């Protein structure tokens, strides 16, 4: 018979339970601050629900009423240097962190708010209402609250979407030599999200000082925890990843404070991440001011049992029991806070002169200027003011070298001159420079700055996004294949791309993503795509497509100076190619928005990029019947297209061909052709010609793969048509 030996988790998992003795032992100043925070957050949330009920909050109002004890108890265990982020239901955590920042010595529940604390409430209310004086000038609203100065790095509307970023904040804290920690708040729904679990694994593998704070409010909208998982004790996830974990009553702020203090001390001491699960309850439905029982997924008896444990009334009871406040004083604190919120709200709303009696409206002057709608999608490029821009490329001293050596060489140069650059990706630290040699020699030269990651694109891309938002370091992320962007699509397109604009248009997001295009290599449908067309539809990304080794050096240098996220596309066909590389100037930067004319001509303008450029040049020479001007775009994003060079060429040729290798469905040339038609219709004597791959993804079969992608033969065929036209 086989022997069955019980196994024990390597990481501790405990429940923290407090009683009246623990409340009696708590510092009176801490208890008064806890109550003050609870009072102000509750009054704030009630006022938000009042505005929402009056139709004055555009979009959702995810109330945290009932859950304030977890936020207050945990935040008071932190300092302003510590980072937090949260989910769509994050008003309470944001306010707790912001109020703790402006009043680190504590708050008194009977004292009027000082100017700084009042400003926190006013600006948060304005942001939730979508108004200009909000933290992000109304762009973020209820679900995207950020005040980086206070360490409140942003709440997030994507369930689990902010968790990987918190690991990035933690990495930056540790790399900067501080003992600061990162706390990421999320609910029971996010516990089962891949990005959350990937990040737990990555944080444990790297011993990052991040605390995963699970608000187990028992319902993801209307789906109960028991329906969603076979292990409703959600802190059980921690030991599975080797993470020390705490479970606590989230309705008891002192219990939460004790558990979080222990978890934070664990992380601060360099012992790795921690999990805190706080059992709590939202008194209202997912959104708005109705109880969940009104929607049928929970009953009134359950709601009443949890309301009986309201952290605000429980805390008031302990204060009265200890003689620290009277019952009248606890009620007075609540009334003062409600009156103050009415007075704060009056700065933003007024009676509607055209409405019914008692009807209010937002004061017209509080709305942001509609003309500001696109401002801040990306930066203004002022970071390049002192860059060594190479405006005359003919003056660059060059010699022959391989493309892949240029990739590794320029990264080595930048890491040598900028200690803030960190490289990460799968296998980048091994195999003599990753799978293609792009990081050759870097791991040995720069210990601790070339990070081999687990296979978890969502986690390490989001971690890099967090590092970028933190701002002290510049992450360079390698995707082994461009198709893997779909695995990390939330982090790339919902998080990194939108962060600057969503949080007000001024925050930098310096991140470089190196993405390999591998069509033609036999790696099949899931390793071969050209992602340019997809990235071009995502406002916020800048897109670089180098074709020569010298271009790679100059373009990567520019990309690493930019304070926007930049994807640098690399085609495997070019890795072994040779071409000009700088002899001694490895610091030159090629200007943003400068294309390269690879061949001059008078009859046709061809726009192309990346690995298709050599095929176009080959086809034009082979055909010989059309005098084509070939423009290598180099910069592909909407804001960086070299329209001046394109217009000058079309003025001569009056015909345009856009040539790319990739599939027609995700075509980059599709949107570019549309833009050209609208900009330069009067210069065109014919519709824009197109060369793309087929509808299908490349197959493993060499014959079928060749049939799916475009190369020189497809360009020659179109040149034949143009010659007959």
């Amino acid at each position: 018979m086989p022997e069955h030996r019980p196994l024990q988790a390597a990481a501790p998992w405990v429940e923290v339970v407090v009683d009246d003795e623990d409340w009696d032992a708590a510092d009176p100043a801490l208890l008064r601050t806890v109550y003050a925070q609870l009072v102000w957050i509750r009054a704030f949330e009630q006022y938000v629900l009042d505005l929402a009920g009056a139709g004055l909050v555009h979009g959702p109002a995810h109330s945290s009423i009932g859950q304030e004890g977890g936020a207050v108890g945990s935040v008071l265990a932190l300092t302003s240097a510590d980072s937090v982020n949260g989910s769509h239901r994050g008003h309470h955590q944001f306010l707790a962190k912001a109020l703790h920042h402006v009043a680190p010595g504590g708050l008194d529940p009977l004292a009027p708010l000082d100017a700084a604390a009042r400003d926190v409430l006013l600006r948060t209310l304005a942001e939730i209402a979508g108004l200009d004086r909000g933290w992000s000038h109304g762009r973020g609203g209820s679900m995207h609250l950020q005040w980086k100065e206070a360490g409140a790095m942003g709440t997030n509307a994507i369930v689990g979407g902010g968790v990987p970023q918190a690991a990035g904040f933690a990495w930056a804290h540790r790399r900067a030599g501080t003992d600061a920690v990162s706390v990421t708040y999320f609910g029971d729904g996010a516990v089962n999200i891949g990005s959350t679990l990937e990040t737990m694994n990555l944080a444990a593998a790297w011993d990052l000082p991040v605390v995963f704070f699970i608000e187990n409010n028992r319902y993801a909208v209307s789906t109960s925890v028991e329906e969603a998982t076979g292990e409703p004790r959600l802190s059980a996830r921690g030991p599975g990843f080797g993470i020390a974990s705490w479970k606590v009553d989230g309705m008891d702020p002192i219990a939460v404070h004790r558990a979080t203090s222990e978890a934070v001390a664990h992380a601060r001491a360099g012992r790795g991440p921690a999990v805190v699960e706080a059992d709590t309850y939202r008194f209202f439905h997912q959104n708005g001011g109705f109880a969940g029982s009104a929607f049928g997924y929970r009953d009134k008896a359950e709601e009443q049992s949890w309301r009986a444990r309201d952290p605000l009334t429980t805390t008031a009871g302990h204060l009265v029991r200890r003689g620290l406040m009277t019952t009248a004083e606890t009620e007075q604190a609540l009334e003062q806070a409600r009156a103050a919120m009415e007075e704060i709200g009056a700065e933003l709303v007024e009676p509607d002169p055209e409405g019914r009696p008692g009807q209010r409206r937002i004061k017209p002057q509080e709305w942001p200027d509609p003309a500001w709608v696109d401002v801040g999608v990306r930066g203004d490029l002022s970071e390049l003011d002192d860059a060594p821009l190479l405006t005359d490329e003919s003056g660059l001293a060059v010699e022959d070298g391989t493309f892949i050596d240029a990739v590794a060489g320029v990264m080595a140069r930048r890491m040598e001159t900028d200690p803030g650059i960190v490289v990460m990706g799968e296998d980048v630290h091994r195999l003599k420079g990753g799978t293609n040699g792009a990081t050759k020699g870097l791991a040995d030269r720069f210990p601790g700055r070339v990070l081999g990651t687990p296979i978890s694109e969502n986690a390490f891309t989001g971690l890099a996004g967090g590092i970028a938002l933190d701002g002290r370091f510049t992450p360079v992320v390698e995707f082994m294949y461009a198709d893997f962007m779909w695995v990390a699509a939330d982090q790339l397109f919902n998080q990194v791309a939108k962060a600057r604009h969503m949080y007000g248009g001024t925050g930098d997001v310096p991140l470089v993503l190196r993405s390999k295009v591998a069509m033609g290599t036999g790696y099949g449908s899931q390793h071969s795509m050209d992602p340019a067309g997809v990235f071009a539809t995502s406002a916020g990304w800048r897109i670089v497509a180098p074709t020569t080794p010298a271009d790679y050096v100059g373009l990567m240098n520019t990309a690493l100076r930019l304070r926007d996220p930049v994807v640098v596309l690399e085609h495997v066909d070019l890795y072994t190619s040779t071409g000009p590389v700088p002899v001694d100037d490895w610091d030159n930067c090629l200007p943003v928005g400068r294309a390269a004319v690879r061949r001059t001509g008078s009859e046709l303008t061809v726009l192309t990029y990346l690995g298709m450029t050599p095929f176009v040049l080959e086809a034009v020479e082979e055909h010989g019947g059309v005098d084509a001007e070939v423009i290598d775009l180099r910069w592909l994003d909407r804001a960086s297209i070299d329209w001046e060079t394109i217009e000058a060429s079309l003025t001569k040729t009056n015909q345009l061909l856009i040539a790319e290798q990739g599939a027609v469905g995700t075509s980059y040339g599709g949107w570019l052709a549309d833009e050209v038609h609208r900009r330069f219709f009067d210069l065109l004597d014919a519709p824009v010609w197109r060369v793309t791959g087929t509808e299908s993804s490349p197959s493993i079969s060499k014959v079928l793969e060749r049939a799916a992608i475009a190369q020189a033969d497809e360009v020659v065929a179109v040149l034949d048509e143009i010659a007959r036209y």
Side-chain angles (χ1 to χ4, degrees):
M1 294 289 292
E3 180 182 0
H4 292 77
R5 298 176 179 176
L7 298 176
Q8 299 295 322
W13 180 28
V14 298
E15 182 173 10
V16 175
V17 180
V18 303
D19 56 20
D20 286 356
E21 290 186 3
D22 296 291
W23 279 86
D24 291 343
D27 184 347
L30 172 64
L31 294 185
R32 292 181 74 90
T33 293
V34 166
Y35 189 63
Q37 285 244 15
L38 292 172
V39 162
W40 283 109
I41 294 171
R42 176 66 59 87
F44 180 92
E45 290 285 67
Q46 288 173 331
Y47 190 80
V48 168
L49 288 180
D50 175 54
L51 288 187
L56 298 177
V57 174
H58 183 62
H62 296 109
S63 167
S64 68
I65 290 176
Q67 300 182 199
E68 303 97 331
V72 172
S74 59
V75 164
L76 292 178
L78 306 177
T79 73
S80 289
D82 298 320
S83 301
V84 304
N85 72 350
S87 70
H88 58 281
R89 191 183 313 284
H91 303 169
H92 53 327
Q93 296 141 5
F94 178 84
L95 286 174
K97 189 68 163 73
L99 290 171
H100 189 39
H101 173 67
V102 299
L107 292 169
D108 189 276
L110 296 176
L113 283 181
D114 64 17
R118 184 185 183 281
D119 189 59
V120 165
L121 296 175
L122 176 60
R123 294 189 67 184
T124 307
L125 185 63
E127 185 61 42
I128 291 170
L131 308 181
D132 187 56
R133 73 165 88 187
W135 300 104
S136 300
H137 304 284
R139 283 181 177 164
S142 171
M143 298 185 289
H144 309 105
L145 297 168
Q146 183 191 70
W147 186 24
K148 291 173 70 172
E149 181 183 324
M153 304 299 287
T155 55
N156 203 295
I158 303 297
V159 174
V163 176
Q165 296 169 23
F169 308 148
W171 186 93
H173 289 324
R174 187 178 67 182
R175 182 69 191 181
T178 77
D179 70 348
V181 303
S182 170
V183 179
T184 182
Y185 294 92
F186 53 93
D188 46 279
V191 167
N192 304 314
I193 293 289
S195 59
T196 300
L197 300 172
E198 286 184 22
T199 305
M200 285 183 174
N201 178 69
L202 182 57
W206 289 4
D207 290 325
L208 297 179
V210 57
V211 176
F212 299 93
F213 193 100
I214 305 168
E215 280 189 314
N216 185 355
N217 67 23
R218 307 199 58 74
Y219 293 94
V221 186
S222 65
T223 302
S224 71
V225 170
E226 288 77 11
E227 291 176 282
T229 178
E231 173 51 276
R233 299 172 301 170
L234 302 182
S235 48
R237 271 56 169 181
F241 292 106
I243 300 176
S245 300
W246 285 255
K247 183 175 175 60
V248 67
D249 179 2
M251 307 299 278
D252 186 325
I254 293 304
V256 174
H257 186 263
R258 176 67 61 86
T260 308
S261 295
E262 292 177 8
V264 167
H266 173 94
R268 218 184 282 286
R271 297 169 62 192
V275 167
V276 175
E277 177 193 3
D279 288 318
T280 183
Y281 201 77
R282 52 174 166 83
F283 289 173
F284 296 101
H285 178 54
Q286 163 78 353
N287 173 35
F290 293 97
S293 56
F295 298 87
Y297 62 88
R298 58 191 195 191
D299 59 45
K300 292 183 179 180
E302 175 185 305
E303 291 173 343
Q304 289 169 358
S305 69
W306 282 93
R307 281 183 176 271
R309 302 177 54 235
D310 187 334
L312 196 146
T313 55
T314 299
T315 302
H318 282 291
L319 286 167
V320 172
R321 184 178 57 80
R322 286 190 58 183
L324 300 176
M325 294 181 74
T326 66
T327 300
E329 286 175 329
T330 62
E331 294 173 352
Q332 176 189 342
L334 274 169
E335 288 304 316
Q336 286 181 180
R338 293 187 186 116
M341 283 308 307
E342 291 287 342
E343 181 265 328
I344 289 170
E347 291 199 32
L348 306 176
V349 301
E350 64 183 7
D352 188 342
E354 300 177 356
R356 300 181 303 276
Q359 188 171 353
R360 295 167 292 173
R361 70 173 186 180
I362 300 292
K363 292 180 179 180
Q365 65 269 25
E366 293 294 331
W367 294 109
D369 183 351
W372 193 65
V373 62
D374 287 335
V375 174
V377 169
R378 56 190 65 82
D380 61 5
L381 301 180
S382 58
E383 62 268 39
L384 298 180
D385 287 348
D386 61 349
L389 294 175
L390 187 63
T391 55
D392 181 8
E393 296 173 47
S394 65
L396 181 68
V398 296
E399 60 186 4
D400 269 355
T402 66
F403 193 99
I404 195 62
D405 285 343
V407 174
V410 70
M411 189 57 63
R413 174 61 177 163
R414 292 282 62 80
M415 294 183 76
E416 181 180 64
T417 59
D418 183 351
I421 292 175
V422 56
V423 175
M424 66 185 69
E426 294 156 5
D427 296 307
V428 296
H429 61 318
R430 299 266 167 78
L431 306 177
K432 298 182 179 180
T435 54
N436 291 97
T439 52
K440 182 169 56 179
L442 300 185
D444 292 336
R445 288 186 62 186
F446 307 104
R449 293 169 61 195
V450 180
L451 310 176
T453 65
I455 299 175
S456 53
E457 280 81 8
N458 230 329
F460 69 73
T461 302
L463 180 143
I467 294 173
L469 287 172
D470 174 89
R472 287 174 287 186
F473 303 93
T474 301
V476 178
V477 178
E478 177 183 303
F479 274 10
M480 195 176 291
Y481 293 93
D483 308 67
F484 297 174
M485 73 173 188
W486 297 119
V487 181
D490 173 49
Q491 295 303 320
L492 292 173
F493 304 126
N494 270 325
Q495 310 296 339
V496 172
K498 295 177 181 177
R500 178 193 284 274
H501 184 266
M502 184 171 68
Y503 290 126
T506 57
D508 295 339
V509 191
L511 182 151
V512 172
L513 170 65
R514 294 181 43 247
S515 187
K516 184 169 68 180
V517 180
M519 64 183 66
T521 62
Y523 270 74
S525 298
Q526 296 175 333
H527 285 67
S528 304
M529 80 174 295
D530 174 358
V534 177
F535 275 99
T537 65
S538 179
W541 280 98
R542 295 187 186 270
I543 310 169
V544 168
T547 304
T548 71
D551 276 6
Y552 192 95
V553 172
L555 292 170
M556 178 56 84
N557 282 334
T558 303
L560 286 169
R561 281 179 173 264
L562 292 177
R563 309 304 290 173
D564 293 321
V566 184
V567 57
V568 179
L569 302 179
E570 301 170 8
H571 200 298
V572 293
D573 282 355
L574 300 175
Y575 278 159
T576 57
S577 67
T578 58
V581 296
V583 174
D584 48 21
D585 182 4
W586 285 76
D587 299 321
N588 76 84
C589 297
L590 288 173
V592 173
R594 180 74 60 83
V597 179
R598 301 298 185 191
R599 182 187 191 279
T600 59
S602 60
E603 296 178 332
L604 173 70
T605 299
V606 185
L607 301 182
T608 189
Y609 63 93
L610 212 63
M612 192 62 178
T613 303
F615 289 121
V616 169
L617 292 170
E618 175 189 340
V620 170
E621 296 305 320
E622 176 186 332
H623 186 273
V626 179
D627 186 22
E629 182 151 287
V630 179
I631 298 175
D632 182 355
L633 291 168
R634 299 201 292 201
W635 293 88
L636 306 183
D637 57 280
R638 183 181 297 274
S640 307
I641 293 289
D642 189 348
W643 298 116
E644 183 179 346
T645 295
I646 294 171
E647 182 176 16
S649 183
L650 288 177
T651 300
K652 293 187 300 179
T653 67
N654 306 118
Q655 287 202 90
L656 179 65
L657 166 64
I658 300 174
E660 60 187 313
Q661 281 196 290
V664 67
T666 54
S667 167
Y668 172 77
W671 83 264
L672 182 59
D674 172 71
E675 191 74 21
V676 168
H677 275 128
R678 287 185 290 109
R679 283 177 179 261
F680 304 125
F681 183 79
D682 290 342
L683 295 179
L684 295 171
D685 289 341
V688 173
W689 299 86
R690 299 278 307 285
V691 169
T692 73
T694 65
E695 183 180 1
S696 65
S697 302
S699 303
I700 292 290
S701 166
K702 186 174 183 179
V703 172
L704 293 177
E705 179 181 47
R706 175 62 189 89
I709 64 178
Q711 293 185 350
D713 290 346
E714 285 71 21
V715 177
V716 169
V718 174
L719 291 176
D720 282 338
E721 288 191 54
I722 293 172
R724 292 193 298 269
Y725 181 69

